[in-house]
Amino acid sequence: MTIKNVAFAIVFLFAVSAPSAYAQAPVKAKTSPAVKAAAVKPAAKPAVKPAAKPAAGKKVAVSTAAAQVSPFDAAVEKLRSQDADVRRQGANILTESRDPKGLPHLLKALNDPAAQVRASACEGVGLLRAREATPRLSEILMKDPQPMVRQAAAINMSYVGDRAAGPALMKALKDSDPGVRYAAVRTLSVLNYSEAEDAFIGMTNDSDVNMRRGVISALGQMQSRKAVPGLRKALDDPDKYVKLEAVKALGNTGDTGVISDLKRSLKDEDASIKIGAALSLAKLGDASGLDAAYEFIRSPDLMLKQQSCDTLATAGDEKSLKLVEELYAVAQDPAEKGLYDFTRSRLSAKLKRQAP
């Protein structure tokens, strides 16, 4: 056989066997995007769509059913859970919603066996201002075994605002837990429960420094003149914040007989006590604290600046007005400028009233 014939035979064999090989082997050759799309598209449609329809129908039904359960209903359902943490979540959701429809469920949750659920329910009925909860909150305050729950009851009685809670709060002043006692003092003060005045006066020298702070602040809010002797003593308390509360309280009593005591506090080394005394003196019609106000009105401390402005607005003169106007003119911060403007308006109005 000639070389030419051999070559012809090889080409012939390759041409005959090629279709068979391509049919058996996977196609790896590059194809154009158009060819790929044509190859994939028809196969994808029947493979996915008919099979997916029934499953999709079921999913839609489930999601529609889920959508029909409102957050409110879901929270109520959580309150029926065997898990205390889940029940607490339900109570919290109802509390945050402030929805009056949740009140019956929260009232029921006040009797939950779990302390964390009862505490959350206390907050819920408090924020809903539910006076019908007062008897149960009072019972919780006096009898619940958990301090956390008793404290929650005392705190939320202040939101309810029902003076009928007074007797239970008075008993809570002797609670074994300090947090409960502090909360009782605060709520009695918010309720302006005058029946607590004598008890508070007797506690101005309590060994618990936080209790001294609390009752002195409460007496100031009550504007208790009866407490003046105890408040005067508190000006020498070793705790800075007790002294500060005493300075504020004396200014609220309206008793001008304490002016000399407050003037002594103007010499205190602590700036907050010094400016506090200046403001209290201003409330009593005494301008002895104006120099302290001039000193601290430029302070970067917002509290000192605010109290200085209040002092000038209450007891200031023409000199004070000029200073405030100068500070207003150069102030860059909008909040600071607003504070000076408000002070200027108050002081101008006061000076006009005093003009002959």
Side-chain angles (χ1 to χ4, degrees), residues 296 298-306:
F296 297 118
R298 293 183 174 85
S299 171
D301 186 312
L302 183 59
M303 186 199 74
L304 296 178
K305 186 186 294 292
Q306 176 71 64

Side-chain angles (χ1 to χ4, degrees), residues 6-232:
V6 171
F8 179 79
I10 292 171
V11 170
F12 177 78
L13 287 171
F14 179 78
V16 172
S17 61
S20 172
Y22 277 112
Q24 294 172 6
V27 179
K28 294 184 180 180
K30 291 183 179 179
T31 58
S32 69
V35 174
K36 282 184 178 179
V40 173
K41 228 176 182 180
K45 280 184 178 177
V48 175
K49 255 190 173 177
K53 272 186 178 178
K58 289 181 181 178
K59 285 183 180 179
V60 170
V62 172
S63 62
T64 303
Q68 292 174 353
V69 179
S70 69
F72 179 88
D73 291 335
V76 172
E77 186 60 33
K78 284 178 181 289
L79 283 173
R80 300 189 184 103
S81 171
Q82 296 298 313
D83 188 326
D85 286 333
V86 175
R87 296 199 303 276
R88 178 182 56 80
Q89 290 172 11
N92 286 342
I93 292 170
L94 292 180
T95 296
E96 291 166 6
S97 74
R98 309 287 181 92
D99 189 336
K101 291 187 301 183
L103 181 57
H105 305 286
L106 290 167
L107 287 170
K108 184 177 179 181
L110 289 174
N111 300 309
D112 195 277
Q116 66 266 39
V117 180
R118 297 197 301 276
S120 293
C122 286
E123 183 179 0
V125 298
L127 293 179
L128 285 172
R129 311 291 195 269
R131 291 204 167 199
E132 54 266 57
T134 297
R136 178 60 182 134
L137 289 175
S138 298
E139 184 180 16
I140 287 173
L141 180 57
M142 292 186 291
K143 297 180 180 179
D144 198 282
Q146 295 298 323
M148 171 184 72
V149 183
R150 299 198 302 274
Q151 184 175 7
I155 290 171
N156 287 284
M157 283 173 168
S158 68
Y159 299 128
V160 174
D162 188 352
R163 286 176 56 84
L169 289 162
M170 290 291 292
K171 291 180 180 179
L173 293 176
K174 296 181 180 180
D175 194 277
S176 59
D177 184 80
V180 177
R181 296 197 299 271
Y182 304 151
V185 169
R186 173 63 180 160
T187 298
L188 286 166
S189 173
V190 170
L191 295 176
N192 197 24
Y193 197 71
S194 57
E195 293 88 334
E197 183 179 25
D198 288 339
F200 287 169
I201 290 172
M203 298 164 72
T204 54
N205 58 357
D206 195 279
S207 59
D208 184 336
V209 64
N210 292 309
M211 185 57 70
R212 295 201 302 277
R213 294 174 187 172
V215 295
I216 289 172
S217 175
L219 288 166
Q221 291 182 46
M222 290 179 172
Q223 300 179 335
S224 172
R225 290 199 176 202
K226 192 175 181 180
V228 166
L231 296 177
R232 277 177 165 154

Side-chain angles (χ1 to χ4, degrees), residues 235-297:
L235 290 175
D236 297 316
D237 195 278
D239 180 75
K240 162 189 167 178
Y241 297 102
V242 170
K243 291 166 66 175
L244 182 57
E245 291 298 340
V247 163
K248 292 179 184 177
L250 285 169
N252 290 334
T253 62
D255 187 346
T256 55
V258 303
I259 286 177
S260 59
D261 300 280
L262 289 171
K263 284 183 177 180
R264 181 164 53 88
S265 293
L266 284 174
K267 301 175 183 178
D268 198 281
E269 294 180 358
D270 188 275
S272 60
I273 293 175
K274 194 172 179 179
I275 194 61
L279 180 55
S280 285
L281 284 165
K283 289 178 179 178
L284 295 172
D286 189 282
S288 301
L290 287 181
D291 286 341
Y294 295 150
E295 176 184 356
F296 297 118
I297 197 169

